[in-house]
Coordinates of all heavy atoms in Angstrom, one line a residue:
P56 N 87.4 -0.1 177.5 CA 88.9 -0.3 177.4 C 89.1 -1.5 176.4 O 88.3 -2.4 176.5 CB 89.2 -0.7 178.8 CG 88.0 -1.3 179.4 CD 86.9 -0.7 178.7
Y58 N 91.9 -4.2 174.5 CA 93.2 -4.7 174.1 C 92.9 -6.0 173.2 O 92.3 -6.9 173.6 CB 94.0 -5.2 175.3 CG 95.3 -5.9 174.8 CD1 96.3 -5.1 174.3 CD2 95.5 -7.2 175.1 CE1 97.4 -5.7 173.8 CE2 96.6 -7.8 174.7 CZ 97.6 -7.1 174.0 OH 98.7 -7.8 173.5
E60 N 90.6 -6.5 170.7 CA 89.1 -6.8 170.7 C 88.5 -6.8 169.3 O 87.4 -6.4 169.1 CB 88.4 -6.0 171.7 CG 88.8 -6.0 173.1 CD 88.4 -7.4 173.8 OE1 87.8 -8.3 173.1 OE2 88.7 -7.5 175.0
V86 N 89.3 3.3 174.9 CA 90.7 3.5 175.2 C 91.4 2.2 174.8 O 91.2 1.2 175.4 CB 90.9 3.7 176.7 CG1 92.3 4.3 177.0 CG2 89.8 4.6 177.3
S88 N 94.9 0.0 174.2 CA 96.3 0.0 174.6 C 97.1 -0.9 173.7 O 97.3 -2.1 173.9 CB 96.4 -0.6 176.0 OG 95.6 0.1 176.9
R118 N 101.0 -1.0 176.4 CA 100.0 -1.6 177.2 C 100.4 -1.7 178.7 O 101.4 -2.3 179.1 CB 99.7 -3.1 176.8 CG 98.5 -3.7 177.6 CD 98.3 -5.1 177.2 NE 97.1 -5.6 178.0 CZ 96.9 -6.9 178.2 NH1 97.6 -7.8 177.7 NH2 95.8 -7.2 179.0
G120 N 97.9 -2.1 181.3 CA 96.8 -2.6 182.1 C 95.5 -1.8 182.0 O 95.6 -0.7 181.6
K121 N 94.5 -2.5 182.3 CA 93.1 -1.9 182.2 C 92.9 -0.7 183.0 O 92.4 0.4 182.5 CB 92.1 -3.0 182.6 CG 90.7 -2.5 182.3 CD 89.7 -3.5 182.8 CE 88.3 -2.8 183.0 NZ 87.5 -3.6 183.9
D141 N 83.2 -3.7 179.5 CA 84.2 -4.4 178.8 C 83.7 -4.8 177.4 O 82.5 -4.9 177.2 CB 84.4 -5.8 179.5 CG 85.0 -5.7 180.9 OD1 85.5 -4.6 181.2 OD2 84.9 -6.6 181.7
A142 N 84.6 -5.0 176.5 CA 84.3 -5.2 175.0 C 83.5 -6.6 174.9 O 82.6 -6.8 174.1 CB 85.5 -5.3 174.2
D143 N 83.7 -7.5 175.9 CA 83.2 -8.8 175.7 C 81.9 -9.0 176.5 O 81.5 -10.0 176.9 CB 84.1 -9.9 176.1 CG 84.6 -9.7 177.6 OD1 84.3 -8.7 178.2 OD2 85.4 -10.6 178.0
D229 N 89.6 -3.4 189.5 CA 89.3 -2.0 189.3 C 87.9 -1.6 189.7 O 87.5 -0.6 190.4 CB 89.7 -1.5 188.0 CG 89.0 -2.2 186.9 OD1 87.9 -1.9 186.5 OD2 89.5 -3.3 186.4
W264 N 91.2 -18.3 184.0 CA 90.3 -17.0 184.0 C 89.7 -16.9 185.4 O 89.7 -15.8 186.0 CB 89.3 -17.2 182.9 CG 88.2 -16.1 182.7 CD1 88.5 -14.9 182.2 CD2 86.8 -16.2 182.9 NE1 87.3 -14.2 182.1 CE2 86.3 -15.0 182.6 CE3 86.0 -17.3 183.4 CZ2 84.9 -14.8 182.7 CZ3 84.6 -17.0 183.5 CH2 84.1 -15.8 183.2
R267 N 92.4 -15.9 188.0 CA 92.8 -14.6 187.9 C 91.8 -13.6 188.5 O 92.1 -12.7 189.2 CB 93.0 -14.2 186.4 CG 93.7 -12.9 186.2 CD 93.1 -11.9 185.2 NE 92.8 -12.6 184.0 CZ 91.6 -12.2 183.3 NH1 90.8 -11.4 183.9 NH2 91.3 -12.8 182.2
R268 N 90.5 -13.9 188.2 CA 89.5 -13.0 188.7 C 89.5 -13.2 190.3 O 89.4 -12.1 191.0 CB 88.1 -13.4 188.2 CG 88.0 -12.9 186.8 CD 86.5 -13.2 186.3 NE 86.2 -12.6 185.1 CZ 85.1 -12.1 184.7 NH1 84.1 -12.4 185.5 NH2 84.9 -11.7 183.5
H271 N 92.2 -11.1 191.7 CA 91.9 -9.7 191.8 C 91.0 -9.3 193.0 O 91.2 -8.4 193.7 CB 91.2 -9.2 190.5 CG 92.1 -9.2 189.3 ND1 91.7 -9.0 188.0 CD2 93.5 -9.3 189.2 CE1 92.8 -9.0 187.2 NE2 93.9 -9.3 187.9
W367 N 96.9 -8.8 182.1 CA 96.6 -10.2 181.9 C 96.5 -10.7 180.5 O 96.2 -9.9 179.6 CB 95.4 -10.6 182.7 CG 94.1 -9.8 182.3 CD1 93.3 -10.1 181.3 CD2 93.6 -8.7 183.0 NE1 92.2 -9.2 181.3 CE2 92.4 -8.4 182.4 CE3 94.0 -8.0 184.1 CZ2 91.5 -7.3 182.8 CZ3 93.1 -6.9 184.5 CH2 92.0 -6.6 183.9
K372 N 87.3 -15.8 173.5 CA 85.8 -15.9 173.9 C 84.9 -16.1 172.7 O 85.2 -15.7 171.6 CB 85.4 -14.6 174.7 CG 86.2 -14.6 175.9 CD 85.8 -13.5 176.8 CE 86.7 -13.4 178.0 NZ 87.5 -12.2 178.0
Ligands
LIG1 N1 92.9 -0.5 177.2 C1 93.1 -1.7 177.8 N2 94.4 -2.0 178.2 N3 92.1 -2.5 177.9 C2 92.3 -3.7 178.5 C3 93.6 -4.1 179.0 C4 94.7 -3.2 178.8 O1 95.9 -3.5 179.2 N4 93.5 -5.3 179.4 C5 92.2 -5.7 179.3 N5 91.6 -4.7 178.7 C6 90.1 -4.7 178.3 C7 89.7 -5.8 177.5 O2 89.8 -5.6 176.1 C8 88.1 -5.9 177.9 O3 87.4 -5.0 177.1 C9 88.2 -5.5 179.3 O4 89.4 -4.7 179.5 C10 88.2 -6.6 180.3 O5 89.2 -7.5 179.9 P1 88.9 -9.1 180.0 O6 90.1 -9.8 179.5 O7 87.7 -9.4 179.3 O8 88.8 -9.3 181.5 P2 87.9 -10.3 182.4 O9 86.5 -10.2 181.8 O10 88.5 -11.7 182.3 O11 88.0 -9.7 183.8 C11 87.0 -9.1 184.5 O12 87.4 -9.1 185.8 C12 88.3 -8.0 186.1 C13 88.6 -8.0 187.6 O13 89.0 -9.3 188.0 C14 86.4 -7.9 184.0 O14 85.2 -7.7 184.6 C15 87.4 -6.8 184.3 O15 86.6 -5.6 183.9 C16 87.7 -6.7 185.7 O16 88.6 -5.7 186.0

Side-chain angles (χ1 to χ4, degrees):
Y58 175 68
E60 299 288 2
V86 198
S88 303
R118 184 183 182 202
K121 184 185 160 200
D141 299 342
D143 58 355
D229 54 89
W264 178 70
R267 189 225 319 138
R268 286 184 169 207
H271 290 172
W367 57 83
K372 298 188 184 108

